[in-house]
Each structure stands twice: as C-alpha cells, then as structure tokens.
Amino acid sequence: MARNVIPLTNLIEQFERMPGIGHKSAQKLAFYILGMSDDEAKRFAENILLAKEKIHRCKVCCDLTDSDICSICNDDKRDHSVICVVESSKDVIAIERTREYNGLYHVLHGSISPMNGIGPDEITIKELISRLSDDNIKEIIMATNPTVEGEATAMYISRLIKPMGIKVSRLAYGVPVGADLEYADEITLTRALEGRQIL
C-alpha cells in the first residue's frame, strides 16, 4: 500500500533513518502518526521543531541544554573538582540515574574512530582540555564505552591530561549484576578478574 501513497512512503523512510528502527517499526510509527488527530500531529511536529531550535550544547560541558550553561554546570552543590567524560548525553542520563555521582560532566559527542573518519578534532576534546586550565580540577573519570573506539578515546585523552598532573581514572568493568558467568565473553571476564576487590 505504501508504494502507491508517496507521502506515506516518505514518512516510513524518514523513520527508517532513525537508529534502531527497522522497516516494520517505521511502518508502525508512520501509521501511528496518521492515526493522530490534526491537533496532536501539529503539536508533535511543533515539539520536534522547537527541540531543534532551542536545544544546543552547554558552553561548559557540551551536554545538551536549552540555556547557555546547563543545570549541572550551574549547580554549586556539585563537586566542581571532578569531571566525568562520556560519549553522549544519554550517558549523562544513565549516570545521573544512579544518584551516586556528584561531579561535573564533559560530553564528547562521539569517540575516535578512524574507520568512520572520526578523529580527535571531530569530537569535543579541545573543549575538555581548555576546561582543565582551571586549577580546581583534581580528577577526570573516563567513562567512555567499553568498545575499541571508547578505549582508544580514553587512552588518547588520558595521554593528553597526565602531563598536567590531574588524576585520570577509568570506570571499572566486569560481569553485570544478575548475569551468568557462562554467558560472559572473555574480555568481560578478564576485566572482571583484573578489577576484583577484597571482600
């Protein structure tokens, strides 16, 4: 049916371009949109445009915000001597959900990936280094993903920072809570053994 209805085909194709959305999911979303009332569809479209217009990067940490400086960077109650470096704003949300971390963040908006043409200049490493001129910064926590690209990014940044005399740490890796050892891969088990703690 969608082949004969060009606006529907175009809508499905737009949804298919989103990460993690296959053809069937794109069809479901397209038909959901078509089932909305005109007012609902208009509000939906307006919110997309408003988000694109108002949301930008924080001038300090490069996280997404609708003001010049995000609420985390503006919070005097947070520990301004520690910066947790993450790949995306989704990582900030995940860490904040734990309610265990009270420092600041720096969002790289990607990781170094020569295979994909992403070098250090394509992510916000320069902005991070410029933040470190502040003598208050005592520790950088590297919280990039445990992938080849994430590891390469963490190593690259740590080499830049170490001469500054700032402590650089890395998130611990290991077996997830509730997981069976038999299903863990060798790298995860190796990291879990290396990061073991005394009980």
Side-chain angles (χ1 to χ4, degrees):
M1 176 185 154
R3 286 185 210 134
N4 300 328
V5 184
I6 292 171
L8 178 56
T9 301
N10 292 342
L11 185 57
I12 292 169
E13 286 174 358
Q14 288 302 309
F15 282 122
E16 282 181 314
R17 293 175 63 193
M18 294 179 175
I21 303 292
H23 185 71
K24 290 204 181 246
S25 295
Q27 280 182 326
K28 284 181 186 177
L29 290 168
F31 281 108
Y32 177 80
I33 296 290
L34 292 176
M36 289 179 167
S37 70
D38 288 348
D39 285 342
E40 288 173 323
K42 186 177 179 185
R43 269 196 309 277
F44 185 78
E46 286 171 350
N47 280 315
I48 291 172
L49 294 172
L50 187 65
K52 286 295 292 174
E53 178 188 332
K54 299 287 184 186
I55 296 174
H56 54 271
R57 293 180 182 180
C58 170
K59 288 183 177 179
V60 178
C61 71
C62 300
D63 194 7
L64 299 178
T65 183
D66 61 348
S67 54
D68 283 344
I69 298 174
C70 73
S71 60
I72 292 175
C73 289
N74 259 332
D75 189 348
D76 291 334
K77 294 177 185 160
R78 295 190 78 107
D79 184 351
H80 285 244
S81 70
V82 182
I83 298 175
C84 182
V85 178
V86 296
E87 290 183 27
S88 75
S89 294
K90 292 182 282 187
D91 300 328
V92 172
I93 293 168
I95 294 171
E96 284 295 291
R97 269 198 317 261
T98 69
R99 298 174 189 234
E100 291 295 320
Y101 177 70
N102 193 40
L104 302 179
Y105 293 94
H106 187 84
V107 181
L108 295 171
H109 293 281
S111 58
I112 297 170
S113 177
M115 296 289 286
N116 295 315
I118 301 170
D121 293 337
E122 278 71 50
I123 57 179
T124 63
I125 293 175
K126 286 179 190 166
E127 290 84 346
L128 172 63
I129 299 303
S130 71
R131 289 178 71 182
L132 302 183
S133 60
D134 181 355
D135 290 336
N136 292 333
I137 306 299
K138 305 296 181 215
E139 181 181 3
I140 301 295
I141 302 171
M142 295 306 306
T144 54
N145 293 322
T147 60
V148 172
E149 294 83 6
E151 290 293 327
T153 304
M155 292 304 295
Y156 180 86
I157 292 172
S158 66
R159 277 195 225 112
L160 292 176
I161 294 172
K162 280 192 179 176
M164 299 177 180
I166 298 170
K167 177 182 174 186
V168 180
S169 60
R170 183 85 167 106
L171 283 187
Y173 298 123
V175 180
V177 174
D180 293 326
L181 287 180
E182 65 182 291
Y183 299 116
D185 62 88
E186 293 82 8
I187 295 171
T188 300
L189 284 173
T190 301
R191 292 266 167 78
L193 286 167
E194 288 170 352
R196 66 188 182 276
Q197 298 177 353
I198 296 170
L199 295 175

